[in-house]
Every structure is written in C-alpha cells, then in structure tokens.
C-alpha cells in the first residue's frame, strides 16, 4: 500500500469510530470515550471487517467483493449509525472517506 492509501485507510477507521460515538452519545446517552455495550460491539466488528477486507488495496473492488463484509444484523445497525452521523460529519470530513464504507454496506 502507498502512504496515501494507508492514510485513507486509517482515516476510515477513525471515521467509523467517530460516527458510532456520535450516535451512541445521542441515542444511548453515553459520554466522551464511552460506548454502550452494543455500540462497542459494533465498533469492534466494523474495525475487524475493515482489517479483513481482502480488497483494501483497491477499494473499487468492493462492489464485486465476494466476502460478506457485514452480517445482516450488524449491517442494519451500522446503517442506522450512518443515517444519523453521516450528514453530521459531511462538513467536517471529506466525502471520499465514506465511499468505501457505503459500498460495503450496499452490496447485496
Ligand atoms: Zn450505544
């Protein structure tokens, strides 16, 4: 991976964490660095999936990825998180960082 790719990669991990935190703070009334059990599980799951993604070198392939990144349950949860936190982050974070994530969730 090039440095640039690596940077985008780390950014994506950061974004997931920020989004889940935002959501959890609002919906589950947690504070600062704390997450409720459910959201913590979701975060760990998301980071794990990112780490395991076989196509992280070339994100374009996410569309054709045969690996089921998110199981149904987790997909529903992360969708809710993104629906809530996504629009709130779009101004502070460039949109490209969402692309990979969105592709992961959209696949059939
Ligand atoms: Zn929560």
């Amino acid at each position: 991976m090039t440095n640039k790719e690596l940077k985008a990669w780390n950014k994506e991990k950061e974004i997931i964490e920020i989004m889940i935190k935002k959501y959890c703070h609002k919906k589950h009334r947690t504070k600062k660095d704390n997450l409720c059990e459910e959201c913590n599980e979701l975060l760990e799951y998301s980071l794990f999936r990112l780490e395991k993604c076989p196509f992280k070198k070339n994100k374009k392939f996410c569309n054709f990825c045969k690996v089921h990144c998110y199981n149904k349950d987790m997909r529903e949860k992360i969708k809710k998180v993104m629906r809530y936190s996504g629009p709130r982050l779009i101004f502070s974070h460039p949109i490209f960082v969402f692309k990979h994530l969105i592709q992961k969730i959209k696949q059939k």
Side-chain angles (χ1 to χ4, degrees):
M1 261 200 277
T2 66
N3 268 347
K4 207 179 159 195
E5 282 170 333
L6 200 64
K7 248 189 177 171
W9 196 246
N10 285 327
K11 196 82 199 163
E12 195 165 321
K13 287 188 190 171
E14 241 173 71
I15 294 283
I16 290 180
E17 195 172 344
I18 292 170
M19 285 206 296
I20 294 176
K21 262 184 198 159
K22 241 188 207 319
Y23 177 84
C24 189
H25 288 179
K26 180 73 184 171
K27 302 281 179 186
H28 307 137
R29 312 208 169 280
T30 51
K31 298 254 185 279
K32 287 180 184 161
D33 280 339
N34 296 314
L35 286 176
C36 70
E37 213 171 298
E38 193 188 343
C39 293
N40 197 42
E41 194 192 347
L42 181 63
L43 175 63
E44 275 179 21
Y45 183 84
S46 304
L47 293 179
F48 181 73
R49 301 279 33 141
L50 258 180
E51 211 57 66
K52 292 289 164 197
C53 178
F55 299 109
K56 59 177 157 189
K57 272 190 182 176
N58 191 343
K59 297 183 176 190
K60 268 188 290 191
F61 286 125
C62 233
N63 276 341
F64 314 100
C65 184
K66 293 277 187 295
V67 180
H68 291 291
C69 282
Y70 283 76
N71 71 33
K72 208 168 158 264
D73 208 33
M74 289 299 187
R75 200 180 301 190
E76 284 311 308
K77 282 183 191 171
I78 198 83
K79 262 188 193 165
K80 270 191 210 159
V81 169
M82 288 182 67
R83 216 171 289 146
Y84 174 78
S85 297
R88 287 163 178 81
L89 282 178
I90 228 118
F91 297 110
S92 51
H93 296 78
I95 193 156
F96 79 92
V97 292
F98 291 108
K99 279 187 187 160
H100 185 229
L101 202 58
I102 289 165
Q103 280 180 358
K104 269 173 164 352
I105 290 156
K106 269 192 187 158
Q107 33 167 343
K108 20 196 162 154

